[in-house]
Amino acid sequence: MSGAPLSRACAAVLRRDLVLAWRRRGDLAMPVLYALIVATLFPFALGPEDALLQRIAGGVVLVTVLLAMLLALDGMFRSDLEDGSLEQLVLSPQPLAPLLGMKILAHWLATALPLIVVAPLLAGMLHLPAAVLPALLLALLLATPLLSLLGAVLVALTAGTRRSGMLLALMLLPLCVPVVIFAAGAVAAAQQGLPWSAPVAWLGAGLALALVLAPLACAVALRIALDA
């Protein structure tokens, strides 16, 4: 099988999912709105003390962005499953894993990327020092696609299951903990003026591993879920 048909199929899947996401852009605004609301409420709850807000700002932004991603994770394959296009994708002559990788990429671009764009605003609302912002953004750029890839495998496992949101959240929680620890560790080290390349390197290693294995695992899980 030549690479040209596969590349065209991947491009078509990516373009289709981005167009569909743009048509439902009202739903895509919900995670961003959620993150803005949560970041706005923290100063009211804890008080306007700069030292306290600066100390918790990095962790609050990270956790807020990652939780906001969970709001849209359950719908990664939902519309495709409802209209039957997911079954067509499984039956297509092209390898399933690269096609699912494009769907995961489209989901990340539509949900996580807007959250990363507003992350500097959230950090500014919590008085995060500007010198820490590069570490925060780099941690988010590595942590969010890693969670999307891990979440996609779990979404594929629960495909076709009614009310799978709670089950998905419970399954994803243990996988989120190491990602949050390394991302928050990088931000905390940057705030203390320490080297923060080691936690970022671990996140990068996890992302590289997930880029290879997660689409394959997602394809296997999806076939199992649809055959069940």
Side-chain angles (χ1 to χ4, degrees), residues 111-188:
T111 57
L113 192 58
L115 290 168
I116 296 175
V117 171
V118 301
L121 175 61
L122 304 180
M125 293 167 61
L126 297 171
H127 303 285
L128 184 73
V132 185
L133 199 56
L136 175 64
L137 292 178
L138 185 56
L140 287 174
L141 283 171
L142 294 174
T144 51
L146 178 55
L147 283 182
S148 291
L149 289 162
L150 296 175
V153 179
L154 301 181
V155 172
L157 280 172
T158 58
T161 304
R162 292 186 177 181
R163 299 177 182 177
S164 60
M166 183 63 68
L167 177 62
L168 180 62
L170 292 175
M171 294 170 63
L172 189 59
L173 179 61
L175 301 178
C176 287
V177 172
V179 179
V180 173
I181 288 175
F182 286 119
V187 176

Side-chain angles (χ1 to χ4, degrees), residues 7 45 47 57 70 72 75 91-92 102 105 132 137 148-149 161 167 201 204 212:
S7 62
L70 293 180
L91 296 174
S92 69
M102 291 299 101
L105 175 60
V132 185
L137 292 178
S148 291
L149 289 162
T161 304
L167 177 62
V212 177

Side-chain angles (χ1 to χ4, degrees), residues 27-199:
D27 295 338
L28 298 179
M30 290 302 297
V32 176
L33 184 60
Y34 168 84
L36 289 172
I37 291 174
V38 171
T40 302
L41 290 178
F42 263 93
F44 288 104
L46 300 177
E49 185 182 350
D50 283 352
L52 176 60
L53 293 177
Q54 288 178 5
R55 189 165 64 249
I56 67 171
V60 169
V61 173
L62 282 169
V63 173
T64 299
V65 169
L66 297 181
L67 287 178
M69 285 183 60
L70 293 180
L71 295 176
L73 192 61
D74 187 34
M76 183 180 295
F77 301 135
R78 182 187 300 157
S79 61
D80 297 312
L81 189 63
E82 291 174 351
D83 63 16
S85 58
L86 199 58
E87 287 84 352
Q88 296 297 322
L89 206 65
V90 172
L91 296 174
S92 69
Q94 305 295 341
L96 183 58
L99 301 180
L100 292 177
M102 291 299 101
K103 295 186 73 65
I104 299 170
L105 175 60
H107 183 269
W108 181 83
L109 290 173
T111 57
L113 192 58
L115 290 168
I116 296 175
V117 171
V118 301
L121 175 61
L122 304 180
M125 293 167 61
L126 297 171
H127 303 285
L128 184 73
V132 185
L133 199 56
L136 175 64
L137 292 178
L138 185 56
L140 287 174
L141 283 171
L142 294 174
T144 51
L146 178 55
L147 283 182
S148 291
L149 289 162
L150 296 175
V153 179
L154 301 181
V155 172
L157 280 172
T158 58
T161 304
R162 292 186 177 181
R163 299 177 182 177
S164 60
M166 183 63 68
L167 177 62
L168 180 62
L170 292 175
M171 294 170 63
L172 189 59
L173 179 61
L175 301 178
C176 287
V177 172
V179 179
V180 173
I181 288 175
F182 286 119
V187 176
Q191 283 184 287
Q192 297 171 12
L194 300 174
W196 45 273
S197 58

